[in-house]
Amino acid sequence: MKNRLKEVRRLCPEHGKSQESFAKFLGIPKSNITSYEVGRRTPSDAVIQLICEKCKINEHWLRTGEGEPTVKRTRNQEIQEFANDVMDELDESFKKRFINALAKLDAGDWKTIEKIVCELIKGD
């Protein structure tokens, strides 16, 4: 498992480039990550589940090395996750303000935006 845990850091690049940043992302001590990766300790079931959830890792692969390392998600799941992440941001963040503005659009507004986007695409 120790080598697969190192691989998880590579697969989770926005939060896992170093043991320190990965530990901070997971909310666990860096010394735990080090112990797992050198094989001194095995992560608890709770830590394994945390890693899999936060990094979209296939738990079966992490435990056994069998199958694909990452969990395949549908486009709808990706959009839902994005929306959930945005809702966790500060109210003044651009993403959150943008999503809030989109939520206030009526059918006519959406038609106007669709026309604008179509014109932008034609311009390429």
Side-chain angles (χ1 to χ4, degrees):
M1 180 181 289
K2 64 183 183 178
N3 292 328
R4 289 188 297 280
L5 286 167
K6 291 176 190 175
E7 179 71 5
V8 168
R9 285 196 292 121
R10 188 187 68 75
L11 294 169
C12 195
E14 63 276 7
H15 302 292
K17 294 217 185 285
S18 69
Q19 288 181 344
E20 186 172 340
S21 64
F22 191 53
K24 186 174 184 177
F25 171 63
L26 295 175
I28 63 176
K30 177 188 173 281
S31 60
N32 287 16
I33 299 294
T34 302
S35 293
Y36 302 151
E37 289 188 4
V38 298
R40 254 192 322 259
R41 294 179 53 203
T42 301
S44 67
D45 288 344
V47 170
I48 288 172
Q49 289 172 350
L50 176 69
I51 290 168
C52 292
E53 180 182 313
K54 291 194 104 174
C55 297
K56 306 339 174 243
I57 297 297
N58 176 345
E59 185 174 337
H60 181 72
W61 171 82
L62 184 56
R63 290 180 184 276
T64 67
E66 298 171 355
E68 294 295 318
T70 55
V71 173
K72 302 298 181 212
R73 296 175 298 149
T74 66
R75 186 65 180 141
N76 282 349
Q77 288 171 322
E78 290 174 347
I79 291 168
Q80 185 176 18
E81 180 180 313
F82 171 76
N84 288 338
D85 289 346
V86 168
M87 295 314 295
D88 288 341
E89 291 191 11
L90 298 174
D91 285 345
E92 63 270 7
S93 78
F94 172 76
K95 286 181 192 177
K96 193 162 189 178
R97 288 183 291 120
F98 187 71
I99 296 298
N100 282 330
L102 290 176
K104 294 176 184 175
L105 298 179
D106 63 23
D109 295 332
W110 281 104
K111 281 288 186 196
T112 302
I113 290 174
E114 183 177 18
K115 287 178 186 175
I116 292 168
V117 169
C118 288
E119 287 299 316
L120 289 171
I121 291 170
K122 284 182 194 175
D124 286 347

